[in-house]
Amino acid sequence: MTTLNDWKRRRLVQAGFALPLARWAGAWAQTPDRNLIAGERREGPGVASSMPLLVAPRHALVVGNSSYGFGPLKNPANDARALGEELKRAGFQVTTGLDLTRQQMLEAIRAYGESLSKAKAVGVFYFAGHGVQLAWRNYLLPTDAEIRKLDDIQARCVDVNAVIDGIAKAANPMNVVILDACRENPFGEVKLEQKGLSQLDAPPGTLLAYATAPGNLASDGDGANGLYTEQLLKELKVPEARIEDVFKRVRLTVRRRSNGQQIPWESTSLEEDFWFIPPKEQLRRAQEEAERIRRAREAERLRQERIAKAQRDEAERLRRDAQAERARQEERERERREQLERAREEEAERLYQAEADLWERVKDATRPGPLEDYLRRYPSGNFAELAQWQLDAILAREGEKKIEAVNAAQNPYTQGSSRADFAYKVGDRYDYVQLGLETRAEQRRLPSRVTKITDTEVIFNNGALILDRLGNNVKLPDGRRFTPRQDHPLEYAVGRKWRTRFMTTNARGVRSDTVLDFRVTRREKVTVPAGSFDCFVVEGEGYSFSGTRIYVRVRRWVAPDKCRRPIVAEEFRKAEGRVGPPSAGDFRAKMPVFNNVRLELVSFSQS
């Protein structure tokens, strides 16, 4: 295992904490023409952006409907009771509703939204019971719903889209919406357009979770709880699990328990980490930060009151004193944050080395177990996409026929999703033109043809270019080689995010270390010489280190249903300064000059 020296390791980890993700925040919101409930997320007056999320109030509404006259279910009421108790243990103020009529559901949802708005609380809304879709909208069924024809659904059920839109108006810090409502059609002779629930993009600040992929059905379970909620209850008990990792672990276990016939699905636009049971040190720091903010605000209020009451000369002196005190506080705060940052860097590096060691042991596994172990321990790890791809291949060989999310271009409430296509064939051809990123002047043509495929690699031009089976660079024509990296996800959906960390060795043997955070930010049509394509836009930011710290920004336009390789790829690099011990002379004069480039697809053919 390659290790970094102390100064480089600290800088690399620090870059991971300091990535300027805020500049993406506006792009994460779904475009209005593709999602009618998405929009600019408003921040309420009680939500200071600096206030730690972990110390915000926590409110939950949990509904379980079992006693339907037209299609009773065994477990939803049990699921709701159990989940409500688990959320209480996690510090939530929980309202539980069992076997509710439509009027009771609407009233409970209205009161829940008001409580979120008033308290500026983190919110969890959970529903277990029957759910259906109609005209791409999802509906939750109250116990008194009488459905004799399709038109009755809108009038006698509860519209999920409207519920989420209403919750978003609370302008609270974060929302989680969990729907275990993808059961068999309960209406008998009333035929539904589609099975299960329809795909829906989460509005800003929200994680939306389904018990199974859109357009599919979930099991009511053989025990006291449904299959999905049974696993969710287990994962909520795990200390120090980030919220997105909770749902990834649930997805893996449900998939394996159902042999691929039920695969939970999430859409997320969360911008901060959240823990149901946070790390003790993380919680302590959040509480200290909240108290520091409270004291600073109170001290500032008292200073302003004294200034307002004083005579003019005295007021001026008090203003100078206040300014000096604020400067002293800022300096103390800077020192405190630097100490915390050093502690975080050391802990993050320890965790990364442990993860990398485990990946080294399991990366060549031919059975599911070792890869499942890695994914349960590191659901959002630096090698999670690679591990998931290998696990998928193994399970397919063992006979798993997993379901897929139903994805329709006509659905106005989502920008859709698409699984990457890795079925390269010898003879596939992808020709690019390389342009200057700023000038757009043509620099050279880059023809490439697949000449060989192995179990782990796709080889172009007789070895000049080598990719792994997910399309990540292994070797470039200029001689650069890479340790395992994951620049490409298995599935594309707006809001999906992941991280990669890898080492590059150039033709001269010089090594550099890189950490990048990626996110699918939007869908966008792009026209290149090869034609016009409806693309997912993937954006990555991070840093590379080899004596000089280099800021790296990449963008890719990908149409996985049309072409296996990117339609457009951009890379921008900017040297920001030396990070190692200073050497003699002016190192700025020695900083590298980069050829920032844009690749556009000119033509391609693939079988």
Side-chain angles (χ1 to χ4, degrees):
M1 177 60 57
T2 302
T3 59
L4 311 177
N5 61 40
D6 288 342
W7 62 262
K8 188 185 292 184
R9 185 163 53 218
R10 286 197 298 271
R11 293 295 184 172
L12 183 60
V13 177
Q14 184 179 25
F17 282 111
L19 292 179
L21 297 179
R23 69 184 71 183
W24 292 355
W28 294 353
Q30 291 81 9
T31 52
D33 63 326
R34 297 285 299 190
N35 184 344
L36 302 186
I37 69 167
E40 188 69 22
R41 182 163 172 266
R42 297 171 298 174
E43 186 170 48
V47 184
S49 59
S50 58
M51 184 63 70
L53 185 63
L54 287 183
V55 296
R58 298 179 170 197
H59 289 189
L61 173 61
V62 176
V63 178
N65 286 349
S66 289
S67 299
Y68 293 100
F70 47 81
L73 296 170
K74 182 178 69 171
N75 283 326
N78 297 336
D79 292 341
R81 289 190 192 96
L83 191 78
E85 290 303 313
E86 201 57 53
L87 290 174
K88 286 179 184 177
R89 283 189 280 272
F92 282 81
Q93 177 182 312
V94 180
T95 299
T96 302
L98 303 178
D99 295 327
L100 301 185
T101 66
R102 183 173 187 272
Q103 188 57 43
Q104 289 171 332
M105 285 184 66
L106 293 175
E107 176 57 30
I109 292 167
R110 182 197 61 76
Y112 170 65
E114 289 180 355
S115 76
L116 294 180
S117 180
K118 183 177 180 180
K120 298 306 171 192
V122 170
V124 171
F125 173 78
Y126 170 89
F127 176 85
H130 279 303
V132 298
Q133 61 167 296
L134 178 66
W136 310 115
R137 296 180 77 90
N138 295 317
Y139 295 88
L140 308 179
L141 272 63
T143 55
D144 63 344
E146 294 184 8
I147 308 299
R148 296 184 175 86
K149 56 184 184 299
L150 288 179
D151 290 346
D152 292 337
I153 292 175
Q154 183 177 6
R156 298 179 180 179
C157 299
V158 176
D159 187 338
V160 171
N161 300 51
V163 170
I164 295 176
D165 198 20
I167 291 173
K169 292 177 181 177
N172 55 316
M174 190 187 95
N175 286 296
V176 182
V177 177
I178 306 170
L179 303 178
D180 191 353
C182 317
R183 321 287 181 163
E184 285 280 5
N185 177 13
F187 301 137
E189 294 183 359
V190 179
K191 302 301 181 184
L192 299 173
E193 297 171 339
Q194 295 281 352
K195 296 186 295 185
L197 299 181
S198 175
Q199 191 169 147
L200 172 66
D201 289 348
T206 302
L207 186 147
L208 172 63
Y210 290 179
T212 193
N216 290 276
L217 301 178
S219 168
D220 195 30
D222 298 323
N225 299 109
L227 176 58
Y228 176 74
T229 297
E230 177 185 10
Q231 300 309 315
L232 181 58
L233 289 168
K234 290 179 181 178
E235 297 300 337
L236 287 177
K237 293 181 173 72
V238 177
E240 304 185 8
R242 287 181 172 86
I243 184 170
E244 291 178 348
D245 290 349
V246 166
F247 287 96
K248 288 177 180 178
R249 289 183 177 124
V250 170
R251 185 191 314 150
L252 176 60
T253 303
V254 171
R255 172 186 177 177
R256 296 294 283 129
R257 287 273 303 273
S258 67
N259 196 30
Q261 293 306 291
Q262 181 175 338
I263 302 179
W265 177 90
E266 300 87 39
S267 173
T268 180
S269 62
L270 297 184
E271 299 170 14
E272 296 183 54
D273 284 331
F274 179 79
W275 295 261
F276 289 98
I277 306 175
K280 292 180 180 178
E281 183 63 17
Q282 194 84 14
L283 180 59
R284 182 186 66 79
R285 290 172 181 167
Q287 291 168 337
E288 288 178 352
E289 179 70 4
E291 180 61 16
R292 185 194 67 80
I293 292 171
R294 187 194 66 78
R295 289 180 178 178
R297 288 174 176 170
E298 179 62 16
E300 184 64 21
R301 184 186 67 80
L302 293 175
R303 282 194 292 268
Q304 295 304 321
E305 284 184 358
R306 286 196 297 271
I307 292 171
K309 293 177 181 178
Q311 298 296 326
R312 189 168 68 175
D313 290 345
E314 178 66 8
E316 182 59 32
R317 184 186 66 79
L318 289 173
R319 272 192 287 270
R320 289 195 300 270
D321 290 347
Q323 185 176 7
E325 178 59 26
R326 281 194 293 271
R328 288 191 290 270
Q329 288 177 348
E330 289 171 0
E331 178 61 22
R332 289 194 294 269
E333 178 61 17
R334 183 188 63 79
E335 293 175 354
R336 186 185 72 86
R337 289 186 181 278
E338 286 181 353
Q339 292 174 352
L340 289 176
E341 194 62 45
R342 284 192 292 270
R344 291 191 187 104
E345 290 169 10
E346 293 170 0
E347 177 65 6
E349 179 59 26
R350 183 188 67 80
L351 293 174
Y352 172 75
Q353 291 299 337
E355 180 192 353
D357 289 344
L358 176 60
W359 175 246
E360 190 68 22
R361 295 195 297 271
V362 309
K363 64 184 179 66
D364 297 320
T366 58
R367 299 289 296 166
L371 296 166
E372 289 182 55
D373 179 54
Y374 169 83
L375 287 168
R376 287 195 170 94
R377 292 176 64 179
Y378 301 102
S380 303
N382 290 276
F383 311 99
E385 297 294 321
L386 301 172
Q388 189 64 63
W389 177 78
Q390 288 182 229
L391 179 61
D392 286 354
I394 291 171
L395 293 177
R397 288 197 297 269
E398 292 186 351
E400 182 196 63
K401 299 186 183 301
K402 68 171 188 170
I403 61 170
E404 299 289 346
V406 173
N407 184 39
Q410 304 95 322
N411 186 344
Y413 304 111
T414 178
Q415 296 187 73
S417 59
S418 183
R419 187 168 177 84
D421 179 3
F422 306 119
Y424 288 97
K425 301 289 190 301
V426 172
D428 288 353
R429 182 177 53 80
Y430 306 88
D431 297 337
Y432 289 89
V433 60
Q434 178 177 306
L435 310 173
L437 184 58
E438 292 84 7
T439 65
R440 299 295 172 94
E442 181 175 335
Q443 297 176 345
R444 57 176 173 163
R445 296 277 170 150
L446 300 170
S448 62
R449 186 175 68 87
V450 178
T451 53
K452 184 179 179 180
I453 297 175
T454 71
D455 289 343
T456 58
E457 294 179 338
V458 182
I459 300 168
F460 293 79
N461 300 347
N462 298 311
L465 170 67
I466 303 175
L467 308 179
D468 67 16
R469 294 303 298 271
L470 276 75
N472 299 297
N473 291 329
V474 175
K475 174 182 177 291
L476 295 182
D478 62 12
R480 280 179 290 170
R481 287 187 172 272
F482 305 88
T483 58
R485 58 189 293 182
Q486 50 183 27
D487 293 4
H488 305 284
L490 287 173
E491 295 179 301
Y492 290 87
V494 172
R496 184 174 175 84
K497 58 184 178 181
W498 66 99
R499 166 172 285 201
T500 188
R501 178 175 170 178
F502 58 90
M503 179 176 289
T504 306
T505 304
N506 69 16
R508 300 188 305 277
V510 177
R511 293 178 173 179
S512 62
D513 305 289
T514 304
V515 57
L516 294 170
D517 274 359
F518 286 97
R519 189 150 190 157
V520 181
T521 59
R522 62 192 182 277
R523 290 196 77 161
E524 183 175 277
K525 288 186 177 179
V526 63
T527 299
V528 295
S532 295
F533 300 85
D534 185 9
C535 295
F536 291 93
V537 182
V538 177
E539 303 192 36
E541 286 189 302
Y543 290 88
S544 183
F545 299 85
S546 182
T548 298
R549 183 175 68 177
I550 299 165
Y551 167 71
V552 182
R553 184 184 72 233
V554 296
R555 291 196 183 101
R556 297 189 186 94
W557 284 255
V558 184
D561 58 332
K562 300 294 184 183
C563 183
R564 295 181 186 119
R565 301 210 63 199
I567 307 303
V568 177
E570 294 182 346
E571 182 168 317
F572 172 84
R573 289 172 171 261
K574 179 181 179 182
E576 294 192 342
R578 184 167 294 278
V579 296
S583 57
D586 183 2
F587 68 82
R588 287 183 176 81
K590 303 174 185 178
M591 281 189 183
V593 177
F594 300 106
N595 182 24
N596 296 315
V597 298
R598 174 183 170 98
L599 301 181
E600 293 185 355
L601 188 66
V602 174
S603 63
F604 72 103
S605 64
Q606 57 185 26
S607 54

